[in-house]
Amino acid sequence: MHITSDHALNRLKLSQKPFLELFKHGTLSIEIYKPDETDHQKPHDKDEVYIIISGNGKFINGDEIVEFGAGDFLFVPAGVHHRFIEFSNDFSTWVIFYGPIAGEIN
C-alpha cells in the first residue's frame, strides 16, 4: 500500500469533509485530516497518532499544550480530550487509530 499526502489531500478535498479514512486493516485505520478554522474533535475510543503533514499551530492533549509543525509526531491515549488550536491555513495531518477499544495497556 502506498498513499502520498498529495493524493490523500486531493481525495479529502473531493469529499468536502474535514477527514477521510483512506486505509483499514484489522484495528489499524489511517485517515487524512484538515480542519477548516476550528477543530471540533471529541475524545476517541482508540489510541491515536498524528503525523503532521504541513502547517503549524498548537495542540491540546489533556492538560498539556504543545506547539507543532510539519513532520511532528503526536500521541493521544484513548479517551483523552484533545484538539488543534491556532493552526495555519495549510495545516493537515495523518491520523492513525489502532488497538482495542479503550486503548492499549502499557
Side-chain angles (χ1 to χ4, degrees):
M1 171 57 74
H2 177 247
I3 304 171
T4 67
S5 55
D6 286 342
H7 177 74
L9 287 165
N10 285 335
R11 286 191 54 198
L12 179 64
K13 190 174 185 178
L14 291 172
S15 78
Q16 299 181 347
K17 295 189 275 186
F19 68 91
L20 181 67
E21 184 178 60
L22 299 166
F23 179 77
K24 187 154 181 66
H25 181 80
T27 67
L28 176 67
S29 172
I30 306 296
E31 297 181 358
I32 186 86
Y33 182 51
K34 184 172 178 43
D36 184 26
E37 295 185 20
T38 304
D39 179 5
H40 296 286
Q41 291 192 75
K42 296 186 175 158
H44 303 288
D45 60 1
K46 289 187 172 187
D47 290 336
E48 181 177 16
V49 169
Y50 294 99
I51 299 175
I52 308 303
I53 296 169
S54 61
N56 58 67
K58 294 181 181 175
F59 184 65
I60 299 171
N61 190 353
D63 295 332
E64 183 181 25
I65 299 176
V66 297
E67 292 186 9
F68 69 85
D72 287 358
F73 168 97
L74 303 165
F75 171 75
V76 181
V80 171
H81 290 274
H82 63 284
R83 65 187 167 101
F84 294 94
I85 60 171
E86 300 175 22
F87 50 86
S88 59
N89 290 336
D90 64 340
F91 166 62
S92 62
T93 187
W94 293 109
V95 184
I96 303 165
F97 292 103
Y98 68 94
I101 301 298
E104 293 189 355
I105 299 171
N106 294 334

